[in-house]
Amino acid sequence: MKDVVFQGKLDGEFDGFDDDKLFKTSNGQYWIQAKYKYWYHYKYRPDITIYKENGRYYISVEAKEIEVRKLNNVIESQIDVAFEGWNGESVYKLRNGQTWAQSTYKYEYKYEYSPNAIVYDGGSGTTMQVAGTSARVRRVY
């Protein structure tokens, strides 16, 4: 039996399911995709339902469903200066005073001045998501 946990909208753009996809609901909760499934579908602020069934949580968007986990202790801030992607040793100070350093190697160039940043523990390590890209990080200050 499905027990509805949340019924409303996603906050912002939705572009489908992918590996470790992050979802923010209109009530400010964060959920992360728990199992791999790829489905591309774009919609702005789609209607969603999050429900619990047999001890697991699922998100339903446009009649497609995927298992999710609720994230707690999500940090939302902004990069204090320009973001220039990931170079394997990237260190970024956030406007909330925290400083985070890249903890695993990844190279990806992307430039944006003072973009929003989201830091969360997705289960396989702490991740920082910025400007449509993400990398594993550790807090250094």
Side-chain angles (χ1 to χ4, degrees):
M1 185 165 128
K2 294 180 180 180
D3 179 26
V4 174
V5 175
F6 174 79
Q7 194 158 19
K9 293 191 173 285
L10 279 181
D11 184 29
E13 296 178 344
F14 172 75
D15 61 1
F17 303 138
D18 204 349
D19 196 25
D20 287 335
K21 190 73 170 183
L22 193 63
F23 307 103
K24 183 179 181 183
T25 60
S26 57
N27 68 353
Q29 293 181 340
Y30 277 95
W31 296 79
I32 191 167
Q33 188 170 325
K35 296 204 174 184
Y36 179 76
K37 176 180 184 179
Y38 181 80
W39 173 59
Y40 179 78
H41 181 79
Y42 180 83
K43 188 152 189 182
Y44 183 73
R45 292 183 51 86
D47 292 322
I48 64 163
T49 301
I50 297 176
Y51 65 90
K52 186 175 182 179
E53 185 175 46
N54 298 323
R56 295 178 182 200
Y57 292 94
Y58 297 86
I59 188 170
S60 176
V61 183
E62 304 277 320
K64 299 280 187 178
E65 302 172 342
I66 190 69
E67 187 177 342
V68 292
R69 289 184 289 108
K70 186 176 181 186
L71 293 176
N72 298 307
N73 305 318
V74 175
I75 298 165
E76 294 181 83
S77 190
Q78 280 182 282
I79 301 289
D80 201 29
V81 293
F83 174 73
E84 296 182 357
W86 311 105
N87 65 19
E89 298 178 354
S90 301
V91 177
Y92 291 107
K93 182 175 182 184
L94 303 181
R95 290 219 172 135
N96 67 6
Q98 297 175 350
T99 301
W100 294 83
Q102 192 173 347
S103 61
T104 58
Y105 182 78
K106 175 179 183 175
Y107 179 82
E108 181 177 1
Y109 182 78
K110 182 152 192 172
Y111 180 86
E112 192 167 322
Y113 186 76
S114 193
N116 292 331
I118 300 169
V119 181
Y120 61 93
D121 183 358
S124 58
T126 303
T127 300
M128 179 184 287
Q129 189 176 80
V130 183
T133 184
S134 63
R136 300 283 189 247
V137 294
R138 71 184 185 306
R139 187 167 175 190
V140 292
Y141 299 93

